Amino acid sequence: MALVSHYFLLVLAFLDSHAAQPSCLPGCTCSEESFGRTLKCMSVPLGTIPRKLPEEIKQVRIENSPLFELPRGSFINMSTLEYLWLNFNNVTVIHLGALEHLSELKELRLEGNKLRSVPWTAFHSTPLLRVLDLKHNRIDVLPELALQFLVNLTYLDLSSNRLTVVSKSVFLNWPAYQKCRQPGSGAEILSSMVLALHDNPWLCDCRLRGLVQFVKSIRLPVILVNPYLLCRGPLSKAGQLFHETELSVCMRPQISTSSANVSIQVGQNVTLRCLAQASPSPTISWTYPLSTWREFDVLTSSPAEDAALSELVIPAAHLIDRGNYTCVASNSIGRSTLVISLHVQPSQTLPAPHSLFSPSEGNAYVDLRVVKQTVRGILLEWFAVDNTPEKWFTLYIASDEALRKEVVHVGPGINTYAIDDLLPGTKYEVCLSLGGQSPRQGRCVVFVTGRDHSGLEGRERLLHTTVILCVVLLAVPVGAYVWAAQAPCSCREWGLRLCAHRRRAPRCPLAVPQHVDSSYTDHTAVCEEGLEHRDAEVEGDKEKEGDSG
């Protein structure tokens, strides 16, 4: 009887002890290994680290799951954890306090995730960490103090990431961290660390000079898994081994030019040149007073390694182009500037005896452009420089639907004008002149509205992208497509082809003119009267046939 009672008590104790232990997670397996209890979750849809895990667990292995971040306090109930394997998940972010309570952790493996950076100070909570596997991630930065809390590392794998430039101090300082931790810390001072850095897109310029020298003369306590590191860039170094390449010392840009003072006549072409030498190679930009309105082509070339030549091309220079042009060269070390002064002399040529343009008009500069589009209109803006400060402006507005141009006089101090209620499927041309002078070529914008189909919603879907040789595509307002003329050209033939599709009712765009002059009728973009009457007759015949049908 006593034997039976003793056996019964043993069974109760066994059941009670197992009842106190939580069951394994659904889809996962729990087992007893030589080093302790293990939890394995392979291809289990876990979005976060499980909170309720078996007590005194030693290893957690979660792989091929949608796990995407490690938030603060992820392992608050796992103080006995020694091995954490989170390979081939979608981990993108590790928060600063994610590794808290893991004072016994010895291995952390995060292979095949999507990490772009690592909170290296978080390893302050893992003083016994010996293995850190971060290969096949997207890490592109390795701070100089990355290893300061990893003094017990024996293996660090950073291969197959996106590292381009790393300071040699990252690894040279590691033995110093060990010595600092030695007095009274109780931590074991390791003799060596195995390091993997291969298969990264190393950029072999002056910034990598220290690491290249470190690899060439590597010695204990650091051992490279693969010492044959390859340069990925720049192009002149691509494919070279670290042991084969020689890198120069970094320096800020030094700028020079063939001439810092350039003098030309109005209408002449001029090219301003700026040569910058620097390591790493510099980038060059230009600044000048009218850069918002006057955009010039910039040609960039590399005449030699660690050198860049920039050429600012100014075609047909105007008086307003005179001034200081600043060449700015910059790289990761610093920036330098050089000022080139451009002097533009007025033309000495007198206007023709019967010319419509005065000398002041010839030296004036006008730039007209479309700056905004609305549902049924556009907003024009212009920039003008003239010797006469209180100058009036004249806008000439023509369309395929109107037989005459609309002339609008705008007072001084105003540089915008809105044209509303544009007709669909119509070509417009707007020209600007100073005072009452006739418009000159190169001071016009040409735009064409889209076809109107079933109201506003239909027009919003009509975004045309036709390109015409004599004009350049600007922007597409709602239900319209717009071009602006950039050079003198004739669009008469194209305008005549468009007339065959226009509506019969002639109509000018509604605007808010200060004064309208209807006497000006000559305009190359308006259809010829004979062609217009023929179009009207054809359309009228078609309507009659429809009525009779």
Side-chain angles (χ1 to χ4, degrees), residues 315-332:
H318 197 277
L319 287 176
I320 65 162
D321 293 325
R322 59 191 174 189
N324 291 334
Y325 289 74
T326 303
C327 170
V328 182
S330 58
N331 64 4
S332 59

Side-chain angles (χ1 to χ4, degrees), residues 367-504:
D367 191 350
L368 177 66
R369 63 181 62 179
V370 178
V371 295
K372 185 179 179 181
Q373 302 90 31
T374 60
V375 174
R376 290 186 177 274
I378 62 169
L379 178 65
L380 298 170
E381 183 179 13
W382 57 87
F383 173 76
V385 176
D386 185 53
N387 296 329
T388 307
E390 298 296 323
K391 196 74 172 180
W392 284 65
F393 301 99
T394 304
L395 282 171
Y396 299 86
I397 305 171
S399 72
D400 293 328
E401 300 294 338
L403 299 180
R404 296 183 178 183
K405 286 186 178 181
E406 181 179 4
V407 182
V408 180
H409 299 289
V410 183
I414 302 174
N415 70 328
T416 59
Y417 189 81
I419 304 178
D420 299 319
D421 202 16
L422 298 173
L423 294 175
T426 305
K427 174 191 172 186
Y428 292 89
E429 182 171 1
V430 182
C431 298
L432 179 71
S433 68
L434 294 173
Q437 300 291 338
S438 299
R440 300 180 62 186
Q441 287 184 330
R443 299 179 181 177
C444 302
V445 292
V446 180
F447 58 94
V448 183
T449 57
R451 297 291 178 181
D452 188 1
H453 289 280
S454 303
L456 175 62
E457 294 183 359
R459 291 208 320 275
E460 287 180 343
R461 292 191 293 268
L462 287 171
L463 305 180
H464 303 276
T465 55
T466 308
V467 177
I468 301 174
L469 293 178
C470 64
V471 290
V472 177
L473 182 63
L474 266 187
V476 184
V478 179
Y481 48 99
V482 177
W483 292 275
Q486 300 295 319
C489 61
S490 175
C491 296
R492 181 181 182 87
E493 295 181 1
W494 178 81
L496 294 177
R497 291 198 298 270
L498 183 68
C499 292
H501 303 287
R502 59 174 177 76
R503 303 179 188 276
R504 288 179 297 165

Side-chain angles (χ1 to χ4, degrees), residues 137-310:
N137 275 276
R138 303 174 183 178
I139 299 170
D140 55 6
V141 175
L142 190 62
E144 190 167 322
L145 301 178
L147 305 183
Q148 62 176 327
F149 299 118
L150 295 169
V151 296
N152 288 315
L153 271 186
T154 59
Y155 180 79
L156 174 60
D157 196 337
L158 291 166
S159 62
S160 301
N161 275 276
R162 298 180 180 178
L163 297 172
T164 56
V165 176
V166 171
S167 171
K168 67 176 181 179
S169 300
V170 176
F171 310 109
L172 287 180
N173 291 340
W174 182 67
Y177 302 145
Q178 289 183 314
K179 294 177 181 179
C180 291
R181 297 279 176 171
Q182 184 178 12
S185 64
E188 180 184 1
I189 304 302
L190 304 177
S191 60
S192 62
M193 174 178 64
V194 177
L195 177 64
L197 294 174
H198 53 278
D199 293 334
N200 278 285
W202 298 112
L203 183 61
C204 293
D205 59 22
C206 67
R207 293 168 294 177
L208 203 65
R209 185 169 182 263
L211 183 65
V212 170
Q213 292 177 341
F214 169 76
V215 171
K216 289 180 178 181
S217 60
I218 195 165
R219 59 185 182 273
L220 292 176
V222 178
I223 303 172
L224 280 178
V225 173
N226 182 357
Y228 300 103
L229 304 183
L230 285 172
C231 299
R232 186 74 60 87
L235 188 60
S236 60
K237 301 289 187 182
Q240 290 186 13
L241 292 170
F242 277 22
H243 291 84
E244 300 172 345
T245 187
E246 295 293 335
L247 300 178
S248 59
V249 179
C250 290
M251 67 175 184
R252 64 180 297 174
Q254 298 179 351
I255 309 179
S256 61
T257 183
S258 57
S259 177
N261 287 279
V262 180
S263 297
I264 59 170
Q265 295 289 326
V266 168
Q268 289 184 336
N269 301 333
V270 63
T271 300
L272 306 182
R273 293 178 175 85
C274 174
L275 176 64
Q277 293 180 320
S279 183
S281 296
T283 58
I284 300 179
S285 60
W286 292 85
T287 61
Y288 47 94
L290 295 179
S291 57
T292 302
W293 286 92
R294 299 279 282 172
E295 298 180 1
F296 303 121
D297 290 335
V298 176
L299 307 177
T300 303
S301 59
S302 181
E305 187 175 357
D306 295 335
L309 175 64
S310 181

